[in-house]
Amino acid sequence: MTSQFHVIDRRILTPSDIESLQRVFDEEIKARRITHDCPEAAILAARLIELYQRGVRNKASLREMLNPAA
């Protein structure tokens, strides 16, 4: 179900969006072998949210776009 908030402003994150983002973030943290509280993780989280707010919702696409070479 799509939230009515997404119709108003795609930048608003719903609880479902946050859960999805958390899963991708946790997978990336594990893959990169970094901690959740390091500077790289903060940059990763900001980039992930930015991509999601721009409409990238597919998990594989998000992970690919988070690749430093992307």
Side-chain angles (χ1 to χ4, degrees), residues 24 28 32 44 47-48 51 62-68:
V24 174
E28 281 295 308
R32 294 168 188 237
L44 178 68
R47 180 72 176 134
L48 181 58
L51 290 168
L62 283 167
R63 292 194 71 190
E64 182 179 323
M65 294 175 85
L66 289 172
N67 184 327

Side-chain angles (χ1 to χ4, degrees), residues 1-3 9 11-12 14-15 20 22 24 28-30 37 39 48 51 54 57 62 70:
M1 181 172 117
T2 302
S3 169
D9 188 342
R11 294 173 297 172
I12 296 172
T14 66
S20 296
Q22 184 69 55
V24 174
E28 281 295 308
I29 291 294
K30 185 176 180 179
D37 59 352
L48 181 58
L51 290 168
R54 289 185 178 187
R57 298 288 194 268
L62 283 167

Side-chain angles (χ1 to χ4, degrees), residues 6-59:
H6 280 164
V7 175
I8 297 168
D9 188 342
R10 302 269 313 155
R11 294 173 297 172
I12 296 172
L13 299 176
T14 66
S16 177
D17 294 333
I18 293 169
E19 288 175 14
S20 296
L21 287 166
Q22 184 69 55
R23 280 191 297 273
V24 174
F25 179 74
D26 290 341
E27 290 170 5
E28 281 295 308
I29 291 294
K30 185 176 180 179
R32 294 168 188 237
R33 296 182 179 155
I34 59 175
T35 62
H36 284 79
D37 59 352
C38 74
E40 185 181 348
I43 293 167
L44 178 68
R47 180 72 176 134
L48 181 58
I49 291 169
E50 176 188 8
L51 290 168
Y52 202 84
Q53 288 175 325
R54 289 185 178 187
V56 181
R57 298 288 194 268
N58 179 277
K59 178 180 163 181

